[in-house]
Amino acid sequence: MKRKLLYLFVVFAVVTSSLFQPSQVEAQATKVYWDGILMVPGQVGKIKVVKPINLWKRTSNGLVFEKILKPGEQYRVYRYDNLYGGQYGLGGGMYITKMAGYVEYKTPSKAKLKELENAQGGTPSVGNPSSNLFPKEAIPNLSIGKVAAQAITQIAPGVRKKLIDIEGAVGPQKLFVIDYDGKTSNIQMKTELAKDQIIGFETTSSQANSVPQNDSYHVVAGVNGDYFDKQGQPVDLMMIDGTIVSTPQTALSDLAVLGITSNGKAIIGAPQVAMNLSVNGKSYPINSVNRKRLANHLVVYTRDFAPTTNTNELGTEVRVKIDSGKLNGGETLVGTVTEIISGAGNAALNPNEIILSGHHFAGDFLQGITVGDQIQIATKFTPAEWNDVRESVSGRYHLVKNGALQTIKVAGVAPRTAVGVRKDGSLFTAVVDGRTTGSKGLTLQNTAKLMKDLGANYAMTFDGGGSSTIVVRELGNNKVTVANKPSDGYERSVANSLLFVSTYKTGPVATIAPASDVVEVFQGASYTNLSVPVKGIDQFMNPVAISGSGKVTSSILTNSNGKQVVNAKPGTYAGIVNYEGKTTNIQLRVTNTLDSIKASESSLQVAKGQTVQLSVSGMKNGQAVLTDASAFTWTSSVGKVQANGKYTAPNKDGIGTITVKYGSKSLSIPIIIGDVPPTILESFNKGIFNYEATNDRANNVTISSVTNDRDGSKAIKLTYDFNNTTGTSGAYINAKTNLTISTPLKKVGMWVKGDGKGNWLRSQVIDATGKTVQLDFDKNVTWTDWRFVTAEVPAGLSYPLKMDLPVRYMQTENAKKANGEIIIDDIQAIYKD
């Protein structure tokens, strides 16, 4: 009795925990109430019980009854799906079935949901994380075309991946968006250099995955960045961790830069940078950072450039140890001179040091510096807001400025990468594939329209074409992978990238993600414990290592004899994946489309009355995807075949065909029962209108119908003249409509009245794959009377066979060339040795 009471108490505690969750409530900075109930993250609504109704727990074996809920009780709702006639999820695997008159369901207003979101400071829902992995959003209205499909995945708190199919005026477009709400804590925008230096190339995915990561630092997405030169140097301004790693080179009127300030704010503009070196009371303007040293220029080189400065000997270089500060608009870099290098160039670049490199006038200024001197570098940006920028990456074209669409008179349709910032501070990147039939690409003007339609107040391009790449850490994965299809056919190495980083610390498993969001199953097929590999995810969408597969359940899977039978027509249906009490949604795509059907036996020979079990495989992409015999439709022209492929032969000799069908595909299996006599393929008793004479290297060849002197029936006579010809001569009886052999046979036989001329007698057949096969009856016809001759038929041919040349009478030796005639009768198929 105590155990039973304890069990009921646990059930009650699980259910009510969805309504009262102290750990979550205490974590809230601000409590939000709705209709007198404290709201928690992940809540989508609430249920009030009107009439007594069952509470169910979903398990891998289906629904399990827990208790009866009483009128007046209220529960938080975290999800709704169409399984089991439609059910509301209360958390903890508990569900109430949607029944009119038994429950009242309400949803909070958008304002209330926004209030809850603000109270959480952007912290993700933990009530039921699986319900937040694939959120829904309104379909955007786009100027470039109609949205045909949209799929959204929450890849980190505040960060969503969106895949949008567009039916555009110029053709289909594939759009990939990474959307960051701009306010969720523990999300950062970071920039990354190829191979951690200015000179060089590296793919976007490699740049992202090479970032040192741990349980509190996760790269969740990224896109390719700036345009670059032949050495891999980004063209314009770039900053990493509050330090300028390259100054801009483009004219201010054409400059486009994305900046991220110290508090995470994103801005797009054309900043002008001024830098000045001060030492011993004197100053000198700095021309650039990590750029080629030109005449009279003073350049600052850092370890971000390359292993050395790559300069020639025509200048002076000063090595400085950094004491404090960085190269940005908010700090002054202070350092101590440790070495003066004249007439050498190509100085080594080391961590925590800079090299001041000057040519001519700039070099003369540096000659006035001595070891031990203290230098200062001041940096100022215009506009002033750029002085607070800590990460930046450049592009080329401004697409939207202060909400206004920009006019870009550059022709050409290509893949595009762009970045936009909305008025609310959210930031998003967009990649449009191009140069394929599946996605045409966009003009720059249409890219601008797209970014504005997606809400950009400011927008600009990154490098496009074959460089356009978006990488995503898919749910449950430890590393990012390429999400789009770069137009080169492979991922191009680029100069730099913009990364989305989550610093939420990895916690315990909160939910699971299937290896694929869609499971393909076959109509009518039976599965034993249909399952998919799953990956663990914590409440912040970080991967958590688990091992195993989750069982798939769905209303379209009917339990029968311990198996799950697909009881639905082709289409897409909702399902659930369950792994150790954790569940998530999945889609089941029912299909009846195969490439072919393959039988374990191409033909059968059975005894009269014998029963055999037949097996076939449905093939798709070279794999056997359907092996359940009951999923196929079986028919037989002789005997009986059951729905599970079990065949029983009749109690008499015969020949027949078993036909297997699935969807639009079918397969015929020839069957021979008992001791089957030969089958006459052609008796010639109805005439020879289906035949004609053809030849190679013959003076004359004809055919005629004759009454034979063997049994008085009709036969066909082949008359030929090979005299004085060279090479292989042939006289052929050609079938205008091929003779068909449906059942596998051992031999082909025929009666032949020879002419004793020593010629070679053959037939020709073609199997179902188009393979041509020669059948040899006799290589030296020396007889002149009637004789029954046979030719062996090779095993392994695909049936049916087509006999296009029933008779080929040939001579290969010039010395034996002559004229003559032979008579052919009763061509037949022989099934037994």
Side-chain angles (χ1 to χ4, degrees):
M1 184 64 181
K2 287 183 179 180
R3 289 184 179 179
K4 184 175 182 181
L5 288 173
L6 177 61
Y7 170 75
L8 291 174
F9 174 77
V10 170
V11 170
F12 178 75
V14 169
V15 176
T16 55
S17 68
S18 64
L19 186 57
F20 304 105
Q21 302 182 38
S23 61
Q24 294 176 29
V25 173
E26 291 170 6
Q28 288 182 220
T30 303
K31 297 180 180 180
V32 178
Y33 289 89
W34 167 50
D35 276 1
I37 292 179
L38 179 66
M39 293 186 70
V40 298
Q43 181 179 352
V44 297
K46 71 170 185 173
I47 280 287
K48 182 179 180 180
V49 179
V50 178
K51 295 180 181 180
I53 190 170
N54 291 347
L55 174 69
W56 301 98
K57 181 177 178 64
R58 287 186 183 177
T59 70
S60 59
N61 295 317
L63 295 179
V64 175
F65 171 76
E66 292 292 342
K67 61 177 291 187
I68 296 177
L69 303 181
K70 298 178 181 179
E73 294 178 348
Q74 297 189 79
Y75 299 94
R76 296 190 185 96
V77 174
Y78 297 96
R79 66 183 293 170
Y80 176 84
D81 58 45
N82 293 319
L83 292 184
Y84 305 107
Q87 289 190 320
Y88 300 102
L90 309 185
M94 302 294 178
Y95 287 82
I96 295 176
T97 303
K98 180 180 180 181
M99 295 177 64
Y102 283 78
V103 293
E104 290 180 354
Y105 175 64
K106 291 183 178 181
T107 58
S109 65
K110 291 183 178 179
K112 185 61 67 174
L113 290 173
K114 188 68 174 178
E115 182 183 352
L116 176 64
E117 182 181 357
N118 293 337
Q120 296 302 306
T123 301
S125 160
V126 293
N128 186 2
S130 63
S131 67
N132 301 319
L133 296 181
F134 308 105
K136 301 295 183 182
E137 288 186 7
I139 300 295
N141 293 318
L142 303 178
S143 305
I144 65 170
K146 179 183 178 182
V147 174
Q150 175 176 263
I152 303 174
T153 304
Q154 194 80 36
I155 59 174
V159 184
R160 293 179 174 183
K161 175 191 73 172
K162 303 177 183 179
L163 307 182
I164 301 175
D165 291 333
I166 303 170
E167 296 173 353
V170 298
Q173 307 285 1
K174 293 282 187 182
L175 170 62
F176 303 81
V177 175
I178 301 298
D179 206 324
Y180 165 48
D181 64 16
K183 62 186 177 184
T184 297
S185 58
N186 295 75
I187 298 296
Q188 301 176 3
M189 304 301 304
K190 303 290 288 184
T191 52
E192 183 67 17
L193 263 176
K195 302 295 185 182
D196 294 324
Q197 63 180 40
I198 290 291
I199 294 179
F201 298 89
E202 188 178 10
T203 63
T204 304
S205 62
S206 179
Q207 290 180 44
N209 289 325
S210 64
V211 173
Q213 300 185 53
N214 53 52
D215 65 354
S216 297
Y217 197 89
H218 317 268
V219 177
V220 298
V223 293
N224 65 289
D226 199 358
Y227 298 79
F228 49 87
D229 65 16
K230 63 182 180 181
Q231 290 185 302
Q233 298 187 73
V235 172
D236 285 312
L237 178 67
M238 184 179 183
M239 296 179 68
I240 299 178
D241 293 331
T243 294
I244 296 174
V245 296
S246 65
T247 43
Q249 303 177 102
T250 299
L252 197 61
S253 59
D254 295 325
L255 183 63
V257 186
L258 169 72
I260 308 296
T261 65
S262 60
N263 63 358
K265 178 184 176 182
I267 56 176
I268 290 176
Q272 186 173 13
V273 58
M275 304 180 71
N276 197 70
L277 169 66
S278 298
V279 58
N280 298 326
K282 298 180 180 179
S283 64
Y284 200 92
I286 295 172
N287 295 95
S288 63
V289 176
N290 290 330
R291 296 299 185 189
K292 183 178 180 180
R293 189 187 68 195
L294 303 177
N296 297 313
H297 273 206
L298 175 59
V299 182
V300 177
Y301 289 103
T302 72
R303 184 60 187 84
D304 293 317
F305 179 68
T308 66
T309 61
N310 287 341
T311 53
N312 59 29
E313 72 279 7
L314 303 177
T316 300
E317 297 191 321
V318 175
R319 186 177 305 279
V320 177
K321 182 180 76 69
I322 300 173
D323 297 324
S324 64
K326 294 183 176 182
L327 297 175
N328 63 53
E331 301 178 60
T332 298
L333 185 146
V334 179
T336 302
V337 176
T338 60
E339 184 181 10
I340 309 295
I341 309 164
S342 298
N346 203 32
L349 293 169
N350 303 317
N352 301 314
E353 292 182 349
I354 63 171
I355 294 289
L356 301 172
S357 183
H359 174 267
H360 199 192
F361 297 137
D364 292 343
F365 179 82
L366 294 180
Q367 288 289 344
I369 298 175
T370 60
V371 173
D373 284 348
Q374 186 179 74
I375 66 97
Q376 294 183 340
I377 298 178
T379 304
K380 292 298 177 185
F381 283 96
T382 304
E385 64 179 339
W386 284 83
N387 288 319
D388 189 37
V389 167
R390 293 297 177 266
E391 303 280 335
S392 70
V393 61
S394 299
R396 180 166 298 173
Y397 300 100
H398 287 275
L399 304 174
V400 182
K401 286 185 179 181
N402 197 25
L405 193 68
Q406 301 299 289
T407 300
I408 309 162
K409 296 181 180 179
V410 177
V413 173
R416 303 293 179 189
T417 303
V419 60
V421 179
R422 301 185 182 94
K423 282 185 176 181
D424 63 3
S426 59
L427 175 146
F428 66 97
T429 60
V431 170
V432 178
D433 277 347
R435 299 171 180 162
T436 69
T437 55
S439 187
K440 298 298 184 180
L442 295 175
T443 62
L444 285 169
Q445 192 62 56
N446 278 338
T447 305
K449 292 178 181 178
L450 171 66
M451 297 303 284
K452 181 173 173 58
D453 289 342
L454 292 175
N457 192 43
Y458 285 87
M460 56 176 273
T461 64
F462 288 144
D463 190 12
S467 297
S468 285
T469 307
I470 184 169
V471 298
V472 178
R473 184 190 69 173
E474 301 295 350
L475 293 176
N477 289 354
N478 290 303
K479 295 184 177 181
V480 302
T481 53
V482 178
N484 70 314
K485 293 184 178 180
S487 63
D488 288 349
Y490 56 87
E491 187 183 2
R492 179 183 290 182
S493 293
V494 294
N496 55 15
S497 57
L498 176 68
L499 306 180
F500 296 75
V501 176
S502 167
T503 59
Y504 284 99
K505 183 177 176 63
T506 302
V509 175
T511 188
I512 55 173
S516 172
D517 296 339
V518 179
V519 176
E520 186 176 69
V521 293
F522 288 83
Q523 182 181 1
S526 297
Y527 296 91
T528 302
N529 294 325
L530 181 63
S531 61
V532 294
V534 295
K535 298 176 181 180
I537 304 170
D538 73 359
Q539 62 177 318
F540 305 113
M541 295 86 192
N542 293 321
V544 181
I546 61 175
S547 178
S549 295
K551 184 174 180 180
V552 177
T553 57
S554 173
S555 59
I556 69 165
L557 299 176
T558 304
N559 290 325
S560 177
N561 298 322
K563 292 187 175 182
Q564 297 166 290
V565 181
V566 181
N567 186 22
K569 296 179 179 179
T572 301
Y573 303 86
I576 294 290
V577 180
N578 186 302
Y579 175 83
E580 295 184 355
K582 302 290 191 303
T583 62
T584 192
N585 295 331
I586 198 169
Q587 288 186 319
L588 282 78
R589 181 179 297 135
V590 179
T591 181
N592 63 358
T593 302
L594 297 172
D595 294 336
S596 64
I597 301 173
K598 183 178 180 180
S600 57
E601 299 289 341
S602 60
S603 62
L604 287 175
Q605 286 195 354
V606 297
K608 290 180 287 187
Q610 183 180 355
T611 297
V612 294
Q613 177 64 57
L614 303 178
S615 61
V616 293
S617 298
M619 307 301 293
K620 195 167 188 178
N621 298 325
Q623 301 293 322
V625 296
L626 184 61
T627 57
D628 179 10
S630 299
F632 298 85
T633 300
W634 300 81
T635 57
S636 176
S637 63
V638 59
K640 294 182 179 180
V641 62
Q642 299 178 27
N644 62 358
K646 185 175 287 187
Y647 173 76
T648 301
N651 288 313
K652 61 180 181 180
D653 300 329
I655 296 174
T657 301
I658 298 172
T659 302
V660 190
K661 291 184 178 181
Y662 186 85
S664 62
K665 299 298 180 182
S666 64
L667 174 70
S668 295
I669 304 174
I671 185 167
I672 301 172
I673 304 152
D675 188 10
V676 178
T679 299
I680 301 298
L681 300 174
E682 179 58 84
S683 66
F684 301 106
N685 288 333
K686 294 182 179 181
I688 62 171
F689 60 87
N690 186 46
Y691 301 94
E692 62 184 357
T694 59
N695 72 86
D696 283 321
R697 298 181 180 88
N699 298 315
N700 185 49
V701 175
T702 60
I703 58 172
S704 58
S705 178
V706 297
T707 299
N708 71 62
D709 55 1
R710 180 179 66 85
D711 62 3
S713 66
K714 293 293 182 74
I716 189 170
K717 180 168 72 175
L718 176 67
T719 303
Y720 65 92
D721 181 0
F722 295 157
N723 285 309
N724 301 317
T725 60
T726 59
T728 298
S729 296
Y732 312 133
I733 297 177
N734 180 69
K736 299 176 184 177
T737 300
N738 298 334
L739 305 181
T740 300
I741 305 170
S742 299
T743 303
L745 70 168
K746 297 291 186 179
K747 300 175 183 178
V748 170
M750 63 175 69
W751 283 97
V752 179
K753 185 173 185 179
D755 61 0
K757 300 298 175 71
N759 294 326
W760 186 0
L761 180 62
R762 314 180 86 185
S763 281
Q764 177 174 290
V765 297
I766 302 171
D767 82 348
T769 68
K771 180 181 179 181
T772 300
V773 181
Q774 304 300 324
L775 306 180
D776 291 326
F777 295 95
D778 201 306
K779 291 189 176 182
N780 189 9
V781 176
T782 58
W783 70 91
T784 57
D785 56 353
W786 282 99
R787 186 171 296 185
F788 186 74
V789 294
T790 61
E792 297 284 342
V793 177
L797 299 181
S798 297
Y799 286 78
L801 304 181
K802 301 292 186 181
M803 182 177 284
D804 59 336
L805 292 173
V807 177
R808 301 187 72 199
Y809 201 47
M810 305 165 64
Q811 182 53 253
T812 62
E813 300 181 34
N814 293 336
K816 293 184 178 181
K817 298 294 181 68
N819 62 296
E821 61 183 31
I822 59 173
I823 300 175
I824 308 295
D825 195 15
D826 291 346
I827 302 174
Q828 53 197 272
I830 302 172
Y831 306 103
K832 297 286 187 178
D833 289 326

